[in-house]
Amino acid sequence: MQTSEWTLDYPPFFAYFEWLLSQLAEFADARMLKVQNLGYDSWQTVYFQRFTVIASELVLVYSLNKFIQSSPLADQRLSHAAALSILLSPGLLIIDHIHFQYNGFLYGLLVLSLVLARKQSTMLYSGILFAVLLCFKHIYLYLAPAYFAYLLRAFCLSQKSIFEIRYWNCVKLGASLVVIFGLAFGPYAAWGQLDQLFSRLFPFSRGLCHAYWAPNVWAMYSFTDRVLIFVAPKLGVAVDQSALNSVTRGLVGDTSFAVLPEITPRVTFALTLSFQLLGLVKLFLEPTWEIFIGAVTLCGYASFLFGWHVHEKAILLVIIPFSLIALKDRRYLGAFRPLAVAGHVSLFPLLFTNAEFPIKSICTIFWLVLFLLAFDRLAPASQKPRVFLLDRFSLLYIAAAVPLILYCSLVHGLVFGLSPCAFTPAHCAPAPLSRKGLSMVLFKRKPVQYAKRPHITREDQEIWYIEETDEIFTTYDEYLSRMDYYSQKWFSSEVKGGGNLDFFTALELEREESNEVDEKFPDSLREPVLRKVQHSTISRIDNLVDWVFDEFKRDFYPGEKVIVTLDDPSEGKLQGTVREKVRFPERFKDDGKVAHRAYSRYFVTLSDRTDAEALVDDEHIFRDRKVFSKQTLRNYLRACLHREAWSGAPWQVKDELANQFRIDTQIPVHLQHDAQIIQRKINLPKKGQHSDTVLSICEPSPKSLPELKPKGPKAKQTAQETDRVRQERLLEYQRAVQQNPNLAQSPRSNHPGRKSDPQILQFINQHPTGPSIAPKSLKQEPQHPAPPLPPPIKYPREDLENPISSSPRPALKYLSDEVAADVRDETVGALLETWDTLNVYCEVFQLDSFTFDDYFEALNFSSEDLQSELLVEIHCAVLKRLVNSENDQNGKANIALPKTQESGEDESGSQTKRSTPAPTPEPEPERRTTRNSLRKSEAAEALAQAALDARVHLGAELDQCVKGYGWRKRLVKRDFANGQWIVIIVGLLNLYSTVSRHKRVCESLLRRLAPPDMEPIEKTAISQYSTLDINDRVKIIQFLCMLSIDTQAIRDYMEDCTLTMTEFRKQKIELQRQRKGHLEELKNLDQERRALQPEAPGLAPEIEQLAEQIEDEEMKDGDETEDAEKTEEAVPDSDEEPMPARSLRRAKDRETERKKRRQEEEKRKEKAKAEKAKKPSKEARQLEKVMKKLEAVKDSIKQCEADISVCDNDLRENDCPRTRVLGKDRFWNRYYWFERNAMPYGGLPSSSTAHAEYANGCLWVQGPDPLERAGFIDGSDAESAKHSQAFGCVIAERKRKEEGETSLGGYLEWGFYDSPEDLDKLIGWLSEKGTREVKLRKELLAQREQISIHMDKRKAYLESDRGKGAESAEPVVARVSTRTKTYVDPDGPRFMQWRNTTAFRENGHIHSEPPKGPKKGIARPLKRKPDPLPVVEDEPRKTRGSVGKKAKTLGRQGTRYDF
């Protein structure tokens, strides 16, 4: 992982030195030690670095002291001055004390090494110390040739003769060097990282010149090349056009020269070595210490002047050694003075901020004046006569240096206004650059918001400035806070992309990429491309790039550089520039067919032929692939476009580019944000028109509706759009002819004054597919270009674009065909919906789970003598969740009842209670009956009877058949016995019949339960319910379930499941980490075993396979986690306090599993004891030990996998907020397997029908919704014609063919598969090349085993003999009887065997019975026990009983929901 751009920039010893400093830095500020914390600064960090720099410079003080002590007594005064000039050097102040580098410490080692070389006795230590210095900083290699020559001549060879070798000295020096470099680079050689280390230490790819142009020969060379660019054309010298925009900085790559020859590293090395040899030869012949210091100075100077990528601070390698001998005589001082001035001034670019200007300027000027004047007084006269008089000009150079410094740093900025200087008040500084001028850096995918410029009133106010963003801060805390913000790894480049960057890195990448895009993208295409994409609503940038690229890849514009081909193959490819372009529109015949398609003609000026042009068509003109590619187009669009942060916002060209190209920036009205919001509101369903479903399985959700016209480049144009485009092209052609009448002339006519090259092939095509007309002079037949190959097909693609399947889909089964009942299509969806709801939330309703077949048979069962306990308990359980009992919050309603009806009932009740007996009125005397009054009374009676006959139901009268005892009071008192629950349902239906949303359903049901022609009494409702068919009964349960979904109990249950899933995900992640650790341990143990037992096969393939499996699981978990996070956001919040987590199912299975594990552990221990009794050899014991560890690790991995599998199952069972669809096929049919989530595969193990071992056991298929059918299956006439042309039939006809006789027409139609054979056929029918079916097929393959198992179990359950099942069951005592009706019949249908043991176990009675005796939770004798659950002999289902090892075991659900 690359954590810093400076990693391994110095040799290893410096890293060791930094490590030592880090041990102390932890006590100052531990945050500075974080490797990823780039750009971090604090006052503690500043103080620590400044203190350590000063402390490390004590080495320099010690070295200079040694230098003074080693000097002769006569030169002590000169040595003091030289040492003091080095110690107070402004170069060290700039580099070390402000930049916080440790060069003072390193130059101390260099000076000490030079001092030790003064005597023969310490010369070995000089070489050792210099080797250590090289391992600290490799820039001192510049001086290595002088050390090599000096130590070779003065230490390894005899002083008398160069042919006499001192072998012992060579051995000591060589061994010392080997040890030092071995300690430094040995570990990297062992790790195989020397290549990477040396590539960092010697970065030849950085370029010839450094960032700020060190003042050497190559700086003047680059400056000369820049000047010659303007002079060369006048002198007739060729100029390299590709190098015109080259940067001469070392940050982006090699420097390119436009006129002068290119410079390579070998050239710089040869020049450097040749100039170093001048001093080395003299040193080898006269190995004295003064000549050695001079040679060191000349080697450093030659490397500085001619080296590759030289840094500005390398000048100190020349100044500091030269200072030791600068006072030898005035000849040396004459060369030292201009060197000191130029060298220190060249360090100024390192301190470029305004606040640092006075420091560097004052210190440098003070040092130059002080020491140069002092040196001038102290330096003795030379004993040798002068040879060169050029040193006289050094005084002029020095005199001009001070004004130059002041001008460059102060005056130039004030005059030209490039940047405000330090002495200018903040409020007088020029205005900041426009924020739109800055490159766009994104923070968490949003543009960075820059700080506003503060208002400053005082001229002497201290400010802090960030140059990259042009931000100013008045307090240091704000500045540090902003720098902390910019140092976060959350930034990304808008053009380059990527992420995990700090702000400054992202800004640098953005600028580099923007410059590169600006250089590469053709100028002639910029305006047309931007006009094309302005206000485009294509959401994804990839789709936008594809669309624009397809539009412009065969379209060329004047001024664009292109490649043309001619009919003559010998001509090859010719380069040129488009001069003119003519676009001819599409032509149509009288019958509407296309006569000629649209085409273009281009006049291309050829580059390599003077005054030659070619007239070409679309088939003979091309672009260079590097110029116009999708990548360059993507980068250009990213740099030029932006859009607002709301869904559906159009792309907009940035203002500066829009003004440059005069592009309209006004967003059309229909694309503005307000218009989009209004349109969405119009498209939303009106109140009262939304679906009555509980789950989203019967009717499509508005959020997932497909778009009838997909966005992007592949949207087909309508006939109106085609006519509009044709008219625009025709107008464009007419305007071109008006501007240039020559275009309307014959193409063979030459323009006047134009010279024609007879060798150039000019041809004319009347239409794109027509023949070419070649000149007669060429005498060759025209060649037709080969048709282009079709583009390769990329899979998966749209399902309906794949070929028609040869075999139809396996036949579906319909629920109406399985039974004799008349089940309507819309009932099947409601039936599945209610069954799924009741089983998912069975713990909330306190119901035993039940199979779908039992549920269907119970609803379809009708008898005067028997009544199904399953049906009665379902209604009573759901009703109890709507309103609390009288002992629980005084019968509080858990749903929002209609206000008018609720208040009306309450008022009527209160009025009844408050009413007082009115006085009896006196009897009125009887009136005489006349014919007129008799007719009036008869008319009134007739009107009353007509009003009564007009009523559709008597629900209100039946609800109040017992005055003052309506449905709510019955429900509060839990009066369900003797069929009273049906009367409660009638009252509830009557209440909601006033709501427009439920009116139609409620009135249709009340018309059956409380008909107007029957007496409105309880017996009527009870008897009428037995006459309802399955369609009406399902409507009642669907209505009740819909009301219950809004209760707080259901919301708490979903929230609890979400929290439980979060805990299981954490546990699964921990188990996966443990498994990965065991896998690594298994690899190591396998290597040990193979070393002890080479002939045995290894476990490498098995381990690799397991590693790939782990990686696949982690990728899948990542997708599921994203899905789960979205689901968690959809769960409504609860206002109640958090409650304990929900209990898990199958606690008995977990106990059985733990018992089985204990038995296996005991057997393993006994086997281990038996094997331990043997006494094998030492190698065998060691091998046995390794094998035991291997087996133990394998067992640990298996245990982790088993625990992960249990976690997966628990996650699946707790995933209850929504029913998950498996996928869609090519015709948009949806596939459901309801056991996939939110319920156990076989229902609750404690259920009375758990012996069935399945819940639904079918794979259900739902037809497409209306919008999908209208948009993709029926389609428009144009789409149908296109599909018919490709496949010989329209999509609707293809659907009938491929689906066979069991084709589903709409979303109300359902079918199912109930056999593994049909499932396998369905998987084989699904295509792997379609986008929808490849996902559906993958899901079916993943769930195939479980689906097949439960299909077989369903088949076995349905085929079992009812008589045998009844005989095997224990005799059942009738629990409740009403007149002649009995709830349970042992010889009755199979669904009669179901009993609500959950309610009986938790409440002491079932829902339909009234509470008796003590409250629930208190032990009491039962009238009858529920039948014992069948014991399943198969392997128990594994599930986890706790969240963690130390976590508290989860309680039962009944303790969580105490209703």
Side-chain angles (χ1 to χ4, degrees):
M1 179 179 66
Q2 184 177 356
T3 55
S4 172
E5 60 265 39
W6 311 118
T7 306
L8 288 180
D9 201 33
Y10 283 6
F13 276 10
F14 197 88
Y16 303 156
F17 172 71
E18 291 282 354
W19 181 82
L20 291 175
L21 293 179
S22 67
Q23 307 306 309
L24 301 175
E26 185 177 3
F27 300 99
D29 187 357
R31 288 178 292 180
M32 77 171 78
L33 301 179
K34 294 182 180 180
V35 181
Q36 294 84 1
N37 205 2
L38 300 178
Y40 172 78
D41 61 348
S42 64
W43 281 118
Q44 291 81 1
T45 304
V46 173
Y47 293 147
F48 176 80
Q49 290 185 328
R50 182 165 292 157
F51 173 79
T52 52
V53 167
I54 296 173
S56 64
E57 285 189 350
L58 293 177
V59 177
L60 179 61
V61 176
Y62 174 79
S63 302
L64 294 174
N65 185 49
K66 282 292 185 181
F67 165 68
I68 296 172
Q69 293 177 1
S70 64
S71 301
L73 293 177
D75 297 333
Q76 288 283 332
R77 188 179 180 185
L78 302 179
S79 300
H80 272 288
L84 192 59
S85 69
I86 295 174
L87 184 62
L88 300 179
S89 171
L92 293 179
L93 174 70
I94 292 174
I95 296 175
D96 278 6
H97 296 269
I98 298 180
H99 264 229
F100 300 123
Q101 297 183 10
Y102 296 88
N103 290 278
F105 158 71
L106 299 177
Y107 281 111
L109 296 180
L110 175 63
V111 172
L112 184 59
S113 174
L114 295 175
V115 172
L116 292 176
R118 203 164 195 171
K119 297 180 181 180
Q120 183 70 25
S121 60
T122 58
M123 198 170 292
L124 175 62
Y125 303 116
S126 173
I128 294 174
L129 192 58
F130 183 75
V132 172
L133 181 61
L134 289 179
C135 293
F136 269 98
K137 196 168 185 179
H138 57 294
I139 195 173
Y140 294 96
L141 280 173
Y142 291 167
L143 314 179
Y147 270 86
F148 175 80
Y150 183 66
L151 292 177
L152 176 64
R153 182 65 183 88
F155 186 72
C156 295
L157 301 179
S158 174
Q159 298 288 342
K160 299 178 181 180
S161 174
I162 61 175
F163 301 100
E164 185 178 349
I165 303 175
R166 299 178 182 180
Y167 291 100
W168 180 237
N169 288 356
C170 293
V171 170
K172 290 189 293 184
L173 181 60
S176 301
L177 297 180
V178 169
V179 171
I180 293 171
F181 288 109
L183 291 175
F185 300 99
Y188 296 93
W191 297 332
Q193 295 183 355
L194 284 179
D195 293 336
Q196 183 175 353
L197 176 64
F198 290 134
S199 66
R200 292 295 187 99
L201 296 179
F202 305 100
F204 290 102
S205 60
R206 289 190 180 178
L208 177 63
C209 298
H210 198 264
Y212 297 106
W213 282 22
N216 58 5
V217 172
W218 307 126
M220 299 303 299
Y221 190 85
S222 300
F223 175 76
T224 305
D225 184 77
R226 297 291 104 177
V227 174
L228 289 177
I229 290 177
F230 302 95
V231 180
K234 299 179 180 179
L235 301 178
V237 181
V239 178
D240 186 3
Q241 299 294 330
S242 62
L244 292 180
N245 296 323
S246 170
V247 274
T248 54
R249 302 187 300 135
L251 297 178
V252 294
D254 293 340
T255 303
S256 299
F257 297 97
V259 180
L260 298 179
E262 296 289 340
I263 304 299
T264 63
R266 293 184 179 181
V267 173
T268 61
F269 178 80
L271 290 173
T272 302
L273 183 60
S274 61
F275 281 91
Q276 286 179 346
L277 287 176
L278 299 177
L280 296 178
V281 171
K282 184 176 182 179
L283 175 62
F284 192 83
L285 298 177
E286 298 180 36
T288 63
W289 185 80
E290 289 78 11
I291 296 178
F292 167 62
I293 299 300
V296 168
T297 303
L298 290 176
C299 286
Y301 209 176
S303 300
F304 181 84
L305 292 177
F306 302 99
W308 179 273
H309 195 75
V310 179
H311 199 283
E312 305 84 46
K313 62 187 176 184
I315 193 62
L316 294 182
L317 291 173
V318 185
I319 296 176
I320 290 179
F322 201 4
S323 300
L324 301 178
I325 59 174
L327 294 177
K328 183 178 180 180
D329 60 35
R330 301 192 70 83
R331 291 190 307 154
Y332 286 84
L333 180 60
F336 177 78
R337 281 183 298 194
L339 174 66
V341 174
H344 287 103
V345 173
S346 68
L347 297 175
F348 277 22
L350 294 178
L351 303 181
F352 50 87
T353 62
N354 298 326
E356 295 165 337
F357 169 76
I359 299 176
K360 65 182 180 182
S361 301
I362 295 174
C363 290
T364 302
I365 294 174
F366 178 80
W367 187 92
L368 290 175
V369 172
L370 176 65
F371 284 98
L372 291 184
L373 291 177
F375 283 7
D376 188 73
R377 289 189 177 188
L378 293 175
S382 176
Q383 298 177 359
K384 297 181 180 181
R386 292 182 179 273
V387 178
F388 298 101
L389 299 179
L390 295 179
D391 57 341
R392 297 288 184 180
F393 291 97
S394 62
L395 294 176
L396 179 61
Y397 186 89
I398 296 171
V402 175
L404 182 64
I405 294 172
L406 295 175
Y407 173 79
C408 293
S409 301
L410 181 62
V411 179
H412 187 78
L414 291 175
V415 174
F416 296 96
L418 296 181
S419 62
C421 68
F423 303 112
T424 305
H427 66 275
C428 296
L433 295 173
S434 173
R435 297 299 184 199
K436 296 178 182 178
L438 293 175
S439 299
M440 184 69 71
V441 178
L442 305 179
F443 179 75
K444 294 183 179 180
R445 302 171 66 178
K446 294 183 179 179
V448 174
Q449 301 296 327
Y450 298 98
K452 296 181 180 180
R453 181 65 64 88
H455 180 68
I456 300 174
T457 57
R458 293 188 295 109
E459 296 184 359
D460 58 344
Q461 183 171 350
E462 188 177 18
I463 61 172
W464 285 262
Y465 179 65
I466 301 178
E467 185 176 10
E468 290 81 357
T469 61
D470 198 42
E471 293 175 301
I472 291 179
F473 303 92
T474 55
T475 63
Y476 189 66
D477 291 338
E478 294 178 354
Y479 170 77
L480 284 183
S481 176
R482 195 64 176 178
M483 293 302 293
D484 289 340
Y485 168 70
Y486 286 149
S487 64
Q488 297 182 46
K489 296 288 185 176
W490 289 96
F491 293 91
S492 61
S493 170
E494 184 185 30
V495 178
K496 186 70 174 178
N500 297 330
L501 304 174
D502 62 271
F503 174 81
F504 300 104
T505 305
L507 182 63
E508 184 66 23
L509 290 176
E510 181 79 7
R511 289 174 175 172
E512 292 179 6
E513 194 66 23
S514 298
N515 293 335
E516 184 179 353
V517 170
D518 192 62
E519 294 172 4
K520 289 185 177 180
F521 200 77
D523 294 338
S524 55
L525 284 180
R526 298 187 181 191
E527 181 179 355
V529 168
L530 294 182
R531 289 189 179 277
K532 190 73 175 179
V533 299
Q534 178 73 324
H535 301 148
S536 173
T537 57
I538 299 176
S539 58
R540 291 182 57 86
I541 186 68
D542 296 337
N543 297 339
L544 183 67
V545 170
D546 293 340
W547 175 55
V548 176
F549 184 80
D550 292 339
E551 290 289 330
F552 285 89
K553 65 181 179 180
R554 300 302 302 163
D555 198 7
F556 306 89
Y557 291 84
E560 188 175 358
K561 296 184 180 300
V562 294
I563 301 173
V564 297
T565 58
L566 307 179
D567 284 344
D568 187 0
S570 60
E571 296 290 342
K573 296 181 179 180
L574 304 175
Q575 294 185 354
T577 304
V578 178
R579 184 178 63 82
E580 291 182 6
K581 167 191 173 182
V582 182
R583 182 72 175 175
F584 296 95
E586 195 173 30
R587 298 180 183 178
F588 294 87
K589 298 180 180 179
D590 296 337
D591 56 359
K593 295 183 179 180
V594 178
H596 298 292
R597 297 195 176 275
Y599 60 96
S600 301
R601 293 289 180 271
Y602 303 92
F603 283 101
V604 179
T605 303
L606 302 180
S607 302
D608 52 351
R609 302 188 182 183
T610 308
D611 296 335
E613 286 189 346
L615 179 62
V616 297
D617 62 354
D618 296 326
E619 302 297 328
H620 295 78
I621 185 170
F622 311 94
R623 285 191 187 94
D624 187 357
R625 294 183 179 180
K626 298 180 181 179
V627 173
F628 186 71
S629 63
K630 287 188 177 181
Q631 185 61 38
T632 56
L633 180 60
R634 181 198 308 272
N635 295 339
Y636 180 69
L637 292 180
R638 278 183 171 178
C640 300
L641 300 180
H642 70 94
R643 59 178 173 181
E644 298 178 1
W646 51 272
S647 178
W651 292 99
Q652 292 180 271
V653 180
K654 293 183 178 179
D655 292 342
E656 57 268 23
L657 295 175
N659 295 333
Q660 177 184 350
F661 297 117
R662 298 181 180 179
I663 299 176
D664 184 17
T665 58
Q666 182 65 33
I667 302 178
V669 178
H670 68 282
L671 296 180
Q672 293 180 2
H673 191 200
D674 296 339
Q676 294 289 325
I677 293 177
I678 295 173
Q679 187 62 33
R680 292 195 187 107
K681 290 182 179 180
I682 294 174
N683 294 335
L684 287 176
K686 297 181 181 179
K687 184 176 180 181
Q689 293 183 356
H690 49 79
S691 175
D692 295 343
T693 59
V694 180
L695 303 176
S696 58
I697 63 174
C698 293
E699 295 188 11
S701 175
K703 297 181 180 179
S704 60
L705 296 181
E707 298 177 358
L708 299 181
K709 294 182 180 180
K711 300 178 181 179
K714 295 185 179 180
K716 189 175 181 64
Q717 289 185 342
T718 61
Q720 293 81 359
E721 292 176 345
T722 304
D723 293 339
R724 179 178 55 80
V725 172
R726 187 182 303 115
Q727 293 297 329
E728 290 178 355
R729 292 175 178 175
L730 181 59
L731 292 175
E732 179 182 359
Y733 167 69
Q734 293 174 353
R735 286 194 299 269
V737 171
Q738 292 176 0
Q739 295 175 2
N740 189 0
N742 294 327
L743 297 178
Q745 300 174 3
S746 174
R748 296 179 178 272
S749 60
N750 294 329
H751 291 276
R754 178 183 302 167
K755 296 182 180 179
S756 176
D757 189 350
Q759 302 297 327
I760 299 299
L761 174 62
Q762 295 184 350
F763 60 95
I764 302 171
N765 293 334
Q766 296 301 329
H767 52 83
T769 58
S772 301
I773 302 176
K776 297 181 179 181
S777 59
L778 295 178
K779 296 182 179 181
Q780 77 178 49
E781 297 296 330
Q783 298 180 357
H784 298 282
L789 296 175
I793 300 175
K794 296 181 180 180
Y795 296 107
R797 60 177 181 175
E798 166 58 35
D799 298 75
L800 294 177
E801 293 179 1
N802 294 321
I804 299 178
S805 177
S806 57
S807 58
R809 185 186 64 187
L812 289 169
K813 294 183 179 180
Y814 297 110
L815 195 61
S816 58
D817 297 339
E818 297 293 311
V819 294
D822 183 15
V823 182
R824 293 194 289 268
D825 291 338
E826 60 270 17
T827 302
V828 180
L831 191 67
L832 290 168
E833 173 190 334
T834 54
W835 174 86
D836 186 73
T837 303
L838 294 171
N839 277 269
V840 168
Y841 303 107
C842 62
E843 291 177 324
V844 182
F845 294 128
Q846 294 181 336
L847 284 172
D848 274 20
S849 62
F850 46 89
T851 66
F852 177 76
D853 297 285
D854 289 347
Y855 177 60
F856 177 73
E857 291 181 6
L859 287 171
N860 201 35
F861 179 78
S862 180
S863 174
E864 292 289 339
D865 299 329
L866 295 176
Q867 194 164 7
S868 169
E869 180 177 341
L870 173 59
L871 197 61
V872 175
E873 285 296 295
I874 288 174
H875 290 86
C876 295
V878 179
L879 286 172
K880 289 174 69 173
R881 299 287 76 80
L882 304 181
V883 179
N884 294 340
S885 65
E886 58 184 349
N887 298 325
D888 185 6
Q889 299 182 0
N890 197 22
K892 176 186 175 183
N894 296 321
I895 57 176
L897 299 175
K899 295 181 180 180
T900 55
Q901 295 295 332
E902 184 182 11
S903 61
E905 183 180 344
D906 294 341
E907 290 173 2
S908 62
S910 61
Q911 290 174 3
T912 304
K913 293 180 182 179
R914 299 173 188 173
S915 61
T916 57
T920 305
E922 297 181 358
E924 297 182 0
E926 295 184 3
R927 298 180 179 178
R928 295 179 60 187
T929 302
T930 62
R931 294 182 180 179
N932 189 20
S933 60
L934 183 61
R935 284 196 298 269
K936 289 182 179 179
S937 61
E938 290 177 354
E941 292 178 1
L943 289 174
Q945 185 65 31
L948 184 63
D949 295 340
R951 296 190 57 181
V952 295
H953 64 80
L954 300 178
E957 289 78 1
L958 199 151
D959 180 35
Q960 295 293 330
C961 62
V962 178
K963 191 173 183 180
Y965 194 61
W967 70 270
R968 184 167 180 179
K969 288 188 177 181
R970 294 176 189 267
L971 185 54
V972 167
K973 294 182 177 295
R974 301 299 190 244
D975 187 6
F976 298 136
N978 302 326
Q980 294 299 315
W981 56 272
I982 302 177
V983 181
I984 295 175
I985 291 175
V986 171
L988 199 59
L989 291 172
N990 179 69
L991 174 64
Y992 278 88
S993 64
T994 60
V995 181
S996 59
R997 173 184 173 186
H998 307 286
K999 183 176 182 180
R1000 182 180 58 83
V1001 175
C1002 292
E1003 287 187 350
S1004 66
L1005 293 173
L1006 288 172
R1007 193 179 294 112
R1008 299 291 306 276
L1009 293 173
D1013 56 348
M1014 297 183 68
E1015 185 180 2
I1017 58 176
E1018 298 171 351
K1019 184 178 179 181
T1020 300
I1022 297 172
S1023 61
Q1024 284 295 111
Y1025 182 83
S1026 62
T1027 63
L1028 297 179
D1029 60 5
I1030 187 174
N1031 302 291
D1032 292 333
R1033 292 185 179 186
V1034 169
K1035 286 182 180 179
I1036 294 175
I1037 298 179
Q1038 184 184 24
F1039 171 73
L1040 296 178
C1041 289
M1042 181 196 60
L1043 296 180
S1044 66
I1045 287 297
D1046 293 333
T1047 60
Q1048 189 65 37
I1050 297 295
R1051 290 198 294 268
D1052 290 344
Y1053 183 87
M1054 289 192 290
E1055 183 179 359
D1056 190 33
C1057 288
T1058 302
L1059 296 176
T1060 306
M1061 290 178 67
T1062 302
E1063 295 298 327
F1064 279 125
R1065 287 193 198 96
K1066 295 178 181 177
Q1067 189 175 9
K1068 181 179 178 181
I1069 292 173
E1070 183 61 30
L1071 289 171
Q1072 289 175 336
R1073 290 174 180 170
Q1074 295 178 9
R1075 182 176 62 176
K1076 188 174 291 185
H1078 292 324
L1079 182 62
E1080 294 295 330
E1081 186 179 358
L1082 184 64
K1083 291 180 181 179
N1084 298 331
L1085 291 174
D1086 183 51
Q1087 293 178 358
E1088 294 182 17
R1089 184 190 62 81
R1090 294 178 66 181
L1092 296 172
Q1093 196 178 10
E1095 67 279 0
L1099 297 176
E1102 180 181 348
I1103 295 173
E1104 294 298 330
Q1105 183 179 1
L1106 184 59
E1108 293 178 0
Q1109 179 183 352
I1110 292 174
E1111 185 178 357
D1112 294 341
E1113 289 180 1
E1114 290 178 350
M1115 293 177 63
K1116 182 179 179 181
D1117 290 341
D1119 298 338
E1120 292 179 353
T1121 302
E1122 282 186 12
D1123 224 1
E1125 289 175 354
K1126 296 178 182 178
T1127 304
E1128 290 176 11
E1129 294 175 359
V1131 176
D1133 297 333
S1134 175
D1135 296 333
E1136 298 181 1
E1137 296 181 357
M1139 299 185 179
R1142 186 173 68 92
S1143 68
L1144 297 177
R1145 300 156 173 167
R1146 299 177 306 284
K1148 293 185 178 181
D1149 290 351
R1150 295 196 295 272
E1151 180 62 29
T1152 305
E1153 180 65 19
R1154 287 194 290 268
K1155 184 177 180 181
K1156 183 178 179 181
R1157 291 179 184 174
R1158 287 195 296 269
Q1159 294 175 355
E1160 292 178 353
E1161 183 67 18
E1162 292 175 359
K1163 291 181 182 180
R1164 189 185 64 79
K1165 290 181 179 179
E1166 293 176 358
K1167 185 178 179 181
K1169 289 180 180 179
E1171 293 179 353
K1172 190 175 182 182
K1174 302 178 183 179
K1175 295 182 179 180
S1177 62
K1178 183 178 180 180
E1179 293 182 356
R1181 287 198 302 271
Q1182 188 175 1
L1183 178 62
E1184 182 182 0
K1185 186 177 180 180
V1186 174
M1187 294 300 295
K1188 286 183 179 179
K1189 289 183 179 179
L1190 269 174
E1191 294 299 326
V1193 174
K1194 286 183 180 179
D1195 293 340
S1196 300
I1197 293 176
K1198 291 180 181 178
Q1199 184 62 39
C1200 288
E1201 291 178 347
D1203 293 341
I1204 291 173
S1205 177
V1206 174
C1207 280
D1208 289 334
N1209 187 59
D1210 289 332
L1211 286 170
R1212 183 190 63 82
E1213 292 182 3
N1214 284 274
D1215 186 13
C1216 68
R1218 59 179 177 178
T1219 301
R1220 297 186 181 275
V1221 62
L1222 289 173
K1224 303 177 183 179
D1225 63 11
R1226 68 195 68 170
F1227 299 114
W1228 300 89
N1229 298 312
R1230 290 174 170 83
Y1231 290 74
Y1232 292 92
W1233 183 45
F1234 291 96
E1235 294 95 319
R1236 182 190 182 190
N1237 66 305
M1239 67 177 71
Y1241 289 123
L1244 286 178
S1246 59
S1247 173
S1248 58
T1249 56
H1251 60 279
E1253 300 184 76
Y1254 83 97
N1256 191 294
C1258 295
L1259 178 66
W1260 290 89
V1261 186
Q1262 182 189 20
D1265 63 43
L1267 288 181
E1268 289 171 343
R1269 184 171 185 89
F1272 299 100
I1273 297 177
D1274 296 336
S1276 62
D1277 296 340
E1279 293 174 350
S1280 299
K1282 180 180 177 181
H1283 192 275
S1284 177
Q1285 182 180 1
F1287 299 101
C1289 61
V1290 296
I1291 300 178
E1293 184 180 353
R1294 176 181 177 177
K1295 175 178 170 65
R1296 290 190 295 270
K1297 289 182 180 180
E1298 293 193 84
E1299 291 186 346
E1301 297 179 355
T1302 56
S1303 178
L1304 301 176
Y1307 73 99
L1308 295 178
E1309 300 181 15
W1310 289 78
F1312 65 93
Y1313 295 106
D1314 60 352
S1315 65
E1317 294 78 12
D1318 290 339
L1319 176 62
D1320 293 338
K1321 292 179 182 178
L1322 174 64
I1323 294 175
W1325 179 76
L1326 296 174
S1327 173
E1328 298 180 351
K1329 300 179 180 180
T1331 54
R1332 294 185 296 278
E1333 291 193 354
V1334 68
K1335 298 177 183 178
L1336 173 60
R1337 193 173 187 274
K1338 182 179 179 181
E1339 283 291 333
L1340 288 176
L1341 288 173
Q1343 307 286 350
R1344 179 189 174 280
E1345 182 179 0
Q1346 289 293 344
I1347 297 176
S1348 300
I1349 290 174
H1350 291 86
M1351 282 181 173
D1352 292 335
K1353 289 181 178 180
R1354 175 180 181 270
K1355 183 178 180 181
Y1357 177 71
L1358 295 180
E1359 291 180 354
S1360 61
D1361 183 66
R1362 294 186 179 181
K1364 294 182 181 180
E1367 292 176 2
S1368 62
E1370 294 184 2
V1372 180
V1373 180
R1375 181 180 301 128
V1376 179
S1377 63
T1378 60
R1379 298 191 181 123
T1380 61
K1381 294 182 181 179
T1382 305
Y1383 275 74
V1384 178
D1385 181 9
D1387 297 327
R1390 184 183 295 105
F1391 63 89
M1392 289 293 189
Q1393 309 298 325
W1394 183 90
R1395 300 171 187 83
N1396 193 5
T1397 60
T1398 300
F1400 200 79
R1401 180 172 54 251
E1402 297 182 6
N1403 302 330
H1405 61 87
I1406 60 178
H1407 293 302
S1408 57
E1409 291 181 349
K1412 297 179 181 180
K1415 295 183 179 180
K1416 61 178 180 178
I1418 301 177
R1420 64 182 179 87
L1422 304 178
K1423 290 184 178 181
R1424 58 177 299 278
K1425 297 181 180 179
D1427 289 349
L1429 300 177
V1431 179
V1432 182
E1433 299 296 339
D1434 296 340
E1435 294 185 2
R1437 299 278 315 289
K1438 297 180 181 179
T1439 181
R1440 306 199 65 82
S1442 61
V1443 176
K1445 294 182 179 180
K1446 297 183 181 180
K1448 180 179 177 182
T1449 304
L1450 299 176
R1452 281 294 305 163
Q1453 186 64 44
T1455 62
R1456 164 70 170 86
Y1457 298 97
D1458 192 6
F1459 300 109

